[in-house]
Amino acid sequence: MLSERVMDFESFEVMDILAKCEDMERRGEDVIHLEIGEPDFDTPKPIVDACLDALKDGKTHYTDSLGIYELREKLSEKYKREYGVDVSPNNIIITGGSSLGLFFAISSIIDRGDEVLIQNPSYPCYKNIIKFCGGIPVYCNFEEIENYISKRTKAVIVNSPSNPLGEVVSKEIFKEIYENVPYVISDEIYSGLVYEGKHVSAIELDENLEKTIIVNGFSKLYAMTGWRIGYVISNREIINAVLKLQQNLFIAPTTFAQYGALKVFDDNVKKARDYMIKEFDRRRRLVLKYIKSFGWRVNNPVAAYYFPDVGMDGREFSTKLLEEKKVATVPGIGFGSVGKNHIRISYANSYEKIKEGMERIKEFIEF
Ligand code: PLP
């Protein structure tokens, strides 16, 4: 008999869709992947080389549970350089992707019955992790945050730039959030992938990290999804709580992957990164052109993903599109109730594949 906790836990639909597509591909079907937020680029070579060197040099043992000091030091320098803020390497813990960072952050502060505000729509794993930790996810609109506050409100998860909307939260909205909520978990995994305007980090509102837990990682910006390296930044009380979780559940992040990640700050990697950002922007504009020509409504996506209104049930649309045209997308409903008539299209695939996918969608809707 499975535990109630696990039985109540929902699967992450994007991964189910990916598995279904892989089954179809094994049967010889030509599927276009517009579902997964996984950059098609290879990880930049200096990162791969550094990881291989680490393996050859015997960097195959446990590290400090906080992660290697050098990587935390580089991250501390990044925050000084980009935001002018002093973050000690001891306020940073390296985690198995930002996913684990989110789990640690939520588990550290959420008690049974605590409410956690999340945006409608938002990344589906938030609500699942909150529930797993005994909390109650409350979908909200950040622009009217005060209407969603109750005695049980413990935290808000801000995801800027956001998945699925591709929007950024302004400093003014961030300020409102800070005034109303005890803790802010700021998932900044898409920071850096902004094509118009500017991303505001939570560190700009709370330099001393009194009520902030920043979750970030290398997956999206450096095409390192499979490396499983992320990090959490917060005050010492929270970092010590996260450290206990890490020690007991994972001991430490993967050693050679951390040595690879050290290289993301090198100049030759910056070039590769800037190329990827430019290419994502080119793809974004391509998808936007198609979406507008279909007459679908779409927000103004300045970062990360799209979330167009397909004018019918998004699940039905997405299922039929995959069956009939072999184009994988994600039904919007998993992101929150406002996603019901939407699908999410990811433009992490190549320009050519995206073009082929959008042409197939065109045929599908014109039929
Ligand atoms: N946060 C958001 C909003 C995401 O979209 C994702 C992945 O798609 C993650 C976190 C997890 O990323 P990772 O665990 O690879 O760092």
Side-chain angles (χ1 to χ4, degrees), residues 12 37 96-100 102 123 126 159 163 187 189-190 217 219-220 225 228-229 305:
F12 181 23
S98 66
S99 300
L100 198 52
L102 281 169
Y123 181 53
Y126 297 154
N159 177 217
N163 171 10
D187 176 353
I189 190 70
Y190 293 102
S219 291
K220 311 289 178 176
T225 41
R228 312 311 306 132
I229 296 287
Y305 293 107

Side-chain angles (χ1 to χ4, degrees), residues 172-184:
E172 289 64 43
I173 299 278
F174 244 130
K175 272 188 194 145
E176 284 289 309
I177 291 173
Y178 267 93
E179 272 165 28
N180 281 286
V181 186
Y183 281 105
V184 175

Side-chain angles (χ1 to χ4, degrees), residues 127-321:
K127 70 169 181 326
N128 298 341
I129 304 174
I130 294 164
K131 284 199 221 155
F132 191 78
C133 294
I136 303 166
V138 177
Y139 281 104
C140 74
N141 175 355
F142 285 162
E143 286 175 16
E144 301 161 3
I145 192 111
E146 65 284 356
N147 296 340
Y148 298 88
I149 304 294
S150 81
K151 284 202 300 282
R152 301 301 319 243
T153 306
K154 184 75 181 283
V156 57
I157 303 182
V158 179
N159 177 217
S160 174
S162 70
N163 171 10
L165 290 179
E167 288 179 345
V168 289
V169 170
S170 69
K171 204 161 197 170
E172 289 64 43
I173 299 278
F174 244 130
K175 272 188 194 145
E176 284 289 309
I177 291 173
Y178 267 93
E179 272 165 28
N180 281 286
V181 186
Y183 281 105
V184 175
I185 299 175
S186 186
D187 176 353
E188 304 187 3
I189 190 70
Y190 293 102
S191 58
L193 287 170
V194 182
Y195 319 108
E196 290 172 35
K198 194 178 165 292
H199 160 248
V200 175
S201 167
I203 197 98
E204 296 175 59
L205 291 111
D206 179 18
E207 287 194 9
N208 297 325
L209 299 161
E210 276 164 29
K211 47 194 280 190
T212 301
I213 312 179
I214 293 176
V215 179
N216 204 335
F218 304 107
S219 291
K220 311 289 178 176
L221 189 56
Y222 296 95
M224 289 176 69
T225 41
W227 291 67
R228 312 311 306 132
I229 296 287
Y231 54 93
V232 172
I233 302 182
S234 192
N235 59 53
R236 291 304 292 278
E237 186 190 17
I238 287 177
I239 291 297
N240 284 337
V242 171
L243 177 62
K244 278 196 282 180
L245 292 169
Q246 173 113 296
Q247 289 169 339
N248 282 281
L249 300 173
F250 296 91
I251 300 189
T254 307
T255 304
F256 36 90
Q258 294 184 68
Y259 280 96
L262 257 185
K263 290 284 157 189
V264 306
F265 305 99
D266 281 17
D267 279 345
N268 47 359
V269 170
K270 275 190 205 134
K271 258 192 230 148
R273 181 200 64 187
D274 290 347
Y275 168 77
M276 292 191 277
I277 297 172
K278 241 173 131 179
E279 183 56 23
F280 278 131
D281 188 22
R282 194 165 80 98
R283 297 169 184 189
R284 173 181 77 106
R285 283 183 275 119
L286 175 71
V287 177
L288 199 50
K289 202 169 94 195
Y290 273 102
I291 288 176
K292 285 189 174 153
S293 76
F294 299 162
W296 287 348
R297 274 184 301 144
V298 69
N299 60 313
N300 179 33
V302 293
Y305 293 107
Y306 284 113
F307 198 56
D309 184 341
V310 293
M312 63 180 277
D313 184 280
R315 184 174 300 285
E316 193 186 328
F317 185 94
S318 173
T319 309
K320 280 196 183 147
L321 181 65

Side-chain angles (χ1 to χ4, degrees), residues 66-95 188 191 203 214-218 221-222 229-233 253 258 261-265:
L66 284 173
I68 58 173
Y69 189 81
E70 297 94 307
L71 185 53
R72 291 182 287 121
E73 199 173 36
K74 290 265 185 211
L75 286 165
S76 154
E77 286 162 15
K78 166 189 154 80
Y79 278 81
K80 183 77 186 170
R81 198 171 51 244
E82 293 181 10
Y83 303 104
V85 174
D86 287 312
V87 177
S88 155
N90 293 329
N91 286 81
I92 304 173
I93 181 165
I94 311 297
T95 55
E188 304 187 3
S191 58
I203 197 98
I214 293 176
V215 179
N216 204 335
F218 304 107
L221 189 56
Y222 296 95
I229 296 287
Y231 54 93
V232 172
I233 302 182
Q258 294 184 68
L262 257 185
K263 290 284 157 189
V264 306
F265 305 99

Side-chain angles (χ1 to χ4, degrees), residues 49-65:
D49 288 345
C51 175
L52 292 175
D53 287 347
L55 275 168
K56 286 187 204 140
D57 289 349
K59 301 260 177 20
T60 53
H61 303 276
Y62 294 138
T63 67
D64 185 326
S65 290

